[in-house]
Amino acid sequence: MTALRRNFGIGEPVRRGMELKIAREGEWRPMALGGSAGMSGDILTGRDTEVTWEDVFKGDDTRESADFHAEMERKLKMDW
């Protein structure tokens, strides 16, 4: 961010920070579809072409599969 500020002024790091915050808060995928991929955040930080160990092996192999309907009800606050 310091290099961006030196080259483009204070506006560029502030804009990128806001875009990254919006991308992290607004991104949601159900666990049945693999959970939050974070693709928008990866693009903004420049890590969209990398494949790391955590991208392939998430460590949740022994976990039971998520119930899509229960998760959507929780997300939409329909769990009366």
Side-chain angles (χ1 to χ4, degrees), residues 5-79:
R5 193 180 75 216
R6 287 183 187 156
N7 289 336
F8 301 108
I10 192 65
E12 185 66 20
V14 170
R15 182 182 65 85
R16 288 203 186 183
M18 288 189 320
E19 287 177 350
L20 191 58
K21 182 178 182 244
I22 291 168
R24 286 182 179 156
E25 288 176 356
E27 195 166 293
W28 180 79
R29 278 182 33 198
M31 289 303 293
L33 299 177
S36 181
M39 188 58 165
S40 299
D42 286 347
I43 291 171
L44 289 172
T45 56
R47 291 185 284 130
D48 56 330
T49 58
E50 297 177 1
V51 178
T52 61
W53 182 263
E54 289 79 21
D55 292 334
V56 179
F57 299 106
K58 297 184 187 253
D60 56 356
D61 298 334
T62 59
R63 187 178 52 91
E64 63 184 50
S65 64
D67 181 21
F68 178 77
H69 297 285
E71 187 173 356
M72 288 300 295
E73 288 173 0
R74 232 182 356 264
K75 171 97 173 127
L76 298 173
K77 297 181 174 124
M78 295 174 56
D79 51 352

